[in-house]
Structure formats: C-alpha cells, structure tokens
Amino acid sequence: AQSVTQLDSQVPVFEEAPVELRCNYSSSVSVYLFWYVQYPNQGLQLLLKYLSGSTLVKGINGFEAEFNKSQTSFHLRKPSVHISDTAEYFCAVSATPSTGNEKLTFGTGTRLTIIP
Amino acid sequence: KAGVTQTPRYLIKTRGQQVTLSCSPISGHRSVSWYQQTPGQGLQFLFEYFSETQRNKGNFPGRFSGRQFSNSRSEMNVSTLELGDSALYLCASSVAGTAHEQYFGPGTRLTVT
C-alpha cells in the first residue's frame, strides 16, 4: 500500500514571495505522483504529475515539483505567489498500472494562505 | 467540452436511510472514480469503475457500492446511512485511469442527521 505525508497543514506566505509545500510518500512499488489544488467550494484540479522521465515537473499556474526517489519526496514550489493561489493543495500517489492497484492515495492537504 | 457533473449537489438524509449519488463523466472518459472527503479523514478513495467493471476498491464497508452504465455514467449508493457518512463525495473521470489526468466534479455534499 502507498501512503502520503504532507508535513505542513497550513502555510502562510506573503504575496510575491516563494513557497514550497512539502510531500513525502511511502511505497514498496513504483509510483506515479500528483499535486492537486482545491479552491473553496470546488472540486480538485490537477496541477502537475510525475509519471517517469525528468524529475523536475512543470505544471499550471507557474508551479513545479521535483521527484526525489532517494528521499521519497515530491515537493511543490512556486517562485512568486499571488493572492489567487490561496487554496488547499493535495499531494497524491498511485501505484503504476503494472501493479494492478492503480488508485489514488491523498495526503491530508496543505492550506496555502497568501498574505497581501 | 462539458465537465464532470454530479447530482444532486446537496442532500440531507436521516440515519438509516439510503442514498444514491450520480456522476456524469466527460464525454469519451471510460474511468470514473469516487472519493469521500471529510475534515477528519481527508480524501479517501472509494472505488473506480472502468468500462462498467469495478477495477479498484478502497477500504470502505459494504454499505458503499457503485456501478457504471454503458454510457460511462456512474452511480454510488450508500445504504443504512450513519452520521459519519456526512461528507463531500467527489467523482472524477479520466480517459483510462489515475495515470491519466483525472477531472473532478464539484461534489455532492451529503448531510446525515
């Protein structure tokens, strides 16, 4: 089974400052990794995903994440945040399809608050 | 292209009743997954259907069941409702599974009294 730990439940950041949201995962098999964002009263939207290849993944809205297999981490970063980035961010892991257990396991979420 | 739609958006039920939630995926998507979101447990995977077959299942009791129709629309049923079933139920569709981008609906807010 897979598990995800998001180390920070809340992260306040000043507008235009950089931000890093931390995510660590645990799995005994190969995984795919995802970051989703949830705006108030809405469903989730995919920010970016790592399936294979380059460990630096670029997503929408200027976000990027780096897959670090040795540290089992997939931290999300943005060099300069905006008010509109205020939302809840979820890291998620899935076993690869070859395992036959392809289901998403989510972390508990990090609430990002941008301070004007 | 229309997004994932879920009906109803809000529902209030009494303990012991049953409820059916509906999800219409994006046209062409064959995979539909269901998730339960609560403040205490976060987002938890319920089950995934692909081409009318349940392909994966989470750790929920048998009171939670689902099905998928030939047009890929999916329904989720919860029988003998408990207070702890109060949650936001999210449906997500994708072309072929979690490795592909999942598109989430706005959810159905279920309140059990």
Side-chain angles (χ1 to χ4, degrees), chain A:
Chain A
Q2 293 75 47
S3 67
V4 178
T5 301
Q6 291 186 246
L7 298 165
D8 306 299
S9 59
Q10 296 188 63
V11 173
V13 180
F14 285 104
E15 194 173 12
E16 297 184 9
V19 68
E20 179 179 81
L21 305 183
R22 297 180 292 171
C23 171
N24 286 90
Y25 70 94
S26 173
S27 177
S28 58
V29 300
S30 296
V31 297
Y32 292 157
L33 293 157
F34 307 81
W35 275 99
Y36 280 84
V37 60
Q38 186 176 32
Y39 299 103
N41 300 315
Q42 294 186 28
L44 279 70
Q45 179 183 9
L46 180 68
L47 275 177
L48 48 78
K49 63 182 178 182
Y50 172 79
L51 303 184
S52 65
S54 173
T55 57
L56 183 63
V57 180
K58 293 190 183 297
I60 62 171
N61 301 340
F63 284 94
E64 64 179 33
E66 185 151 20
F67 170 57
N68 188 319
K69 190 174 182 179
S70 62
Q71 298 190 8
T72 60
S73 67
F74 191 55
H75 300 333
L76 180 71
R77 295 190 289 258
K78 186 170 183 178
S80 176
V81 294
H82 303 286
I83 290 287
S84 59
D85 293 324
T86 295
E88 186 112 23
Y89 291 79
F90 293 93
C91 181
V93 63
S94 168
T96 59
S98 60
T99 65
N101 190 22
E102 190 186 336
K103 60 182 183 181
L104 271 183
T105 299
F106 284 90
T108 50
T110 297
R111 184 172 300 278
L112 176 63
T113 301
I114 308 304
I115 305 165

Side-chain angles (χ1 to χ4, degrees), chain B residues 3-107:
Chain B
V4 177
T5 57
Q6 292 186 245
T7 56
R9 291 292 311 278
Y10 302 91
L11 206 48
I12 300 174
K13 290 286 189 179
T14 304
R15 266 183 305 176
Q17 289 185 315
Q18 75 163 15
V19 66
T20 299
L21 311 182
S22 180
C23 172
S24 293
I26 291 172
S27 177
H29 286 191
R30 296 166 64 190
S31 168
V32 174
S33 296
W34 288 89
Y35 300 87
Q36 182 196 63
Q37 186 175 25
T38 61
Q41 299 297 320
L43 274 158
Q44 292 185 287
F45 172 78
L46 279 156
F47 30 65
E48 182 212 1
Y49 285 86
F50 182 82
S51 294
E52 302 179 65
T53 301
Q54 187 181 87
R55 189 159 67 171
N56 282 298
K57 190 177 188 303
N59 298 322
F60 278 81
R63 300 185 297 107
F64 292 81
S65 63
R67 58 178 176 168
Q68 186 180 34
F69 302 95
S70 59
N71 61 358
S72 292
R73 189 177 71 85
S74 177
E75 287 183 347
M76 190 192 92
N77 185 274
V78 187
S79 63
T80 319
L81 283 166
E82 300 177 0
L83 293 179
D85 297 332
S86 294
L88 180 68
Y89 290 88
L90 292 164
C91 162
S93 77
S94 71
V95 172
T98 56
H100 303 262
E101 179 171 355
Q102 289 195 80
Y103 293 82
F104 282 77

